[in-house]
Amino acid sequence: MIPMGTSSHIFSRRTFLGVAGTGLIVPPMALTSSQAQAGTSATEDTSSVFRFCLNTATIRSHKLSLPDEIDLAARVGYDGIEPWTREIDEFLQRGGKLGELRKRLRDRNLRVESAIGFPTWMVDDDAQRARGFDQMKREMEWIAELGGNRIAAPPAGAYNPPVLDLKRVAERYAQLLEIGQSMGVTPQLEIWGGSANLSRLSEAAFVLVECGHPDACALFDVFHIYRGGSRPEGLRVFNGAALHVFHMNDYPGDPPREKIRDSDRVFPGEGVAPLTQILRILRDIGFHGALSLELFNPQYAKMEVETVARRGLESMREAVKKALSAEMG
């Protein structure tokens, strides 16, 4: 948990009213309207509220090629895939062509919902930050060629102290958004729960608003919301239109929050995360994007890769059904 002692973390009443006008934050009255518009009838398939995506970290221990991961995701029934940029780089290093991947995705009716990379775009060191921007530009070009239009922008390089000035982070994120706008690829501000920087929903909210860019958006995660100490209710202040992808997973009650690790993540529904609450909030704020399964559990490497992929998709669908169908009875 990061101390919130600097003035850059504090919202005044005037700031809040300005924030609400940007569309990034949902004022209290908007929630009722959003709920009415996003409400699901008793006869509607609840799974249609969201799309389902496979983050390739979930099966990385099985060491499939990126084309094979695409085939697997399509065969199992996912709507989209979220590859790691290092996999794209490896594919290119082996002589592959992005046009081939794009055709494969199109032929299998699979969309690239997002991509995961680790450019050091937000750090204070000028040379390191310049390299991070160069890396982000290159990776955004890849995603654009694959037909995608989103990429993660995590606090890579700033996981450890010092704590950065969030106003400067916002300025750098705005620069990143400008570059992305010229390429047709939007960087999504991602929080990491264990990081010294951008570990909480409130910090992400500040950066999204302070950057002053219409494309500002966030990438949140069940595990990271918990690990960073944010309450799920904090999601209610976000406009669903500023969230395009949401990482799905679950976590056990032990180890405790401060000691839990990425490798402790489990399939949705097999832990103690308040998934029903989170999914209902996402629905209420107007989120209609992709739920992307992201797991790092080494135990799943012992399972058949197709079993992992199918079990993950089924667990997400079941979580959505449980969360949204219960209100219809």
Side-chain angles (χ1 to χ4, degrees):
M1 182 171 178
I2 309 302
M4 307 293 284
T6 62
S7 60
S8 62
H9 293 86
I10 299 173
F11 287 94
S12 67
R13 179 176 181 276
R14 179 177 296 178
T15 301
F16 174 78
L17 293 175
V19 169
T22 67
L24 287 170
I25 305 295
V26 182
M29 290 298 291
L31 288 174
T32 301
S33 174
S34 297
Q35 287 174 323
Q37 294 175 6
T40 306
S41 69
T43 58
E44 185 180 352
D45 179 8
T46 57
S47 67
S48 67
V49 177
F50 310 119
R51 299 188 302 278
F52 297 99
C53 174
L54 177 65
N55 181 301
T56 57
T58 303
I59 55 173
R60 67 176 179 174
S61 297
H62 294 85
K63 301 188 183 304
L64 299 183
S65 67
L66 185 51
D68 286 342
E69 289 176 333
I70 291 171
D71 290 349
L72 173 65
R75 184 168 64 251
V76 168
Y78 286 89
D79 302 301
I81 193 167
E82 188 177 27
W84 283 36
T85 55
R86 67 182 59 162
E87 294 178 291
I88 300 174
D89 191 30
E90 290 170 0
F91 174 78
L92 294 172
Q93 293 296 329
R94 295 189 182 110
K97 304 296 182 184
L98 292 179
E100 299 169 2
L101 281 185
R102 181 165 183 159
K103 182 178 185 303
R104 196 180 205 96
L105 289 159
R106 184 174 61 247
D107 290 347
R108 287 150 183 77
N109 197 30
L110 206 66
R111 63 172 84 189
V112 177
E113 292 285 4
S114 177
I116 304 298
F118 304 96
T120 55
W121 62 273
M122 65 179 286
V123 299
D124 281 340
D125 183 270
D126 292 342
Q128 186 182 11
R129 189 171 66 255
R131 291 193 295 271
F133 268 78
D134 287 342
Q135 179 183 341
M136 181 64 93
K137 290 176 188 177
R138 180 172 63 254
E139 294 178 350
M140 284 195 288
E141 288 174 352
W142 294 345
I143 301 309
E145 287 193 53
L146 291 178
N149 54 20
R150 288 180 288 272
I151 191 169
Y159 191 88
N160 297 315
V163 175
L164 304 180
D165 182 342
L166 287 185
K167 287 187 176 181
R168 290 190 176 182
V169 173
E171 291 170 0
R172 293 159 189 169
Y173 180 53
Q175 295 170 10
L176 211 57
L177 286 164
E178 283 297 310
I179 296 170
Q181 193 172 60
S182 68
M183 297 181 177
V185 178
T186 304
Q188 306 160 101
L189 189 73
E190 184 176 12
I191 64 171
W192 283 351
S195 176
N197 295 281
L198 286 184
S199 64
R200 301 177 65 87
L201 293 176
S202 56
E203 293 171 324
F206 181 90
V207 173
L208 293 178
V209 175
E210 188 69 18
C211 78
H213 198 284
D215 293 341
C217 59
L219 174 58
F220 295 142
D221 181 303
V222 172
F223 171 84
H224 284 303
I225 290 173
Y226 171 69
R227 178 65 179 85
S230 295
R231 294 177 62 85
E233 290 87 347
L235 289 168
R236 287 198 178 276
V237 304
F238 292 89
N239 189 328
L243 306 176
H244 306 294
V245 176
F246 192 93
H247 285 168
M248 277 289 284
N249 40 66
D250 207 331
Y251 48 81
D254 189 62
R257 180 181 66 81
E258 295 81 5
K259 295 183 178 180
I260 201 166
R261 303 176 63 183
D262 282 307
S263 57
D264 293 314
R265 301 185 191 198
V266 294
F267 288 111
E270 298 185 10
V272 298
L275 295 183
T276 292
Q277 179 189 22
I278 289 172
L279 291 167
R280 287 178 182 174
I281 291 174
L282 289 176
R283 188 275 315 275
D284 291 349
I285 65 176
F287 171 77
H288 299 297
L291 300 176
S292 184
L293 182 75
E294 187 180 56
L295 301 170
F296 301 90
N297 196 313
Q299 295 302 314
Y300 299 157
K302 302 173 183 178
M303 301 165 56
E304 292 291 333
V305 65
E306 188 152 333
T307 300
V308 175
R310 288 190 183 279
R311 185 167 160 186
L313 179 57
E314 290 169 2
S315 68
M316 287 197 293
R317 284 177 170 162
E318 184 59 32
V320 172
K321 181 179 179 180
K322 178 181 178 182
L324 304 188
S325 296
E327 298 178 318
M328 302 173 193

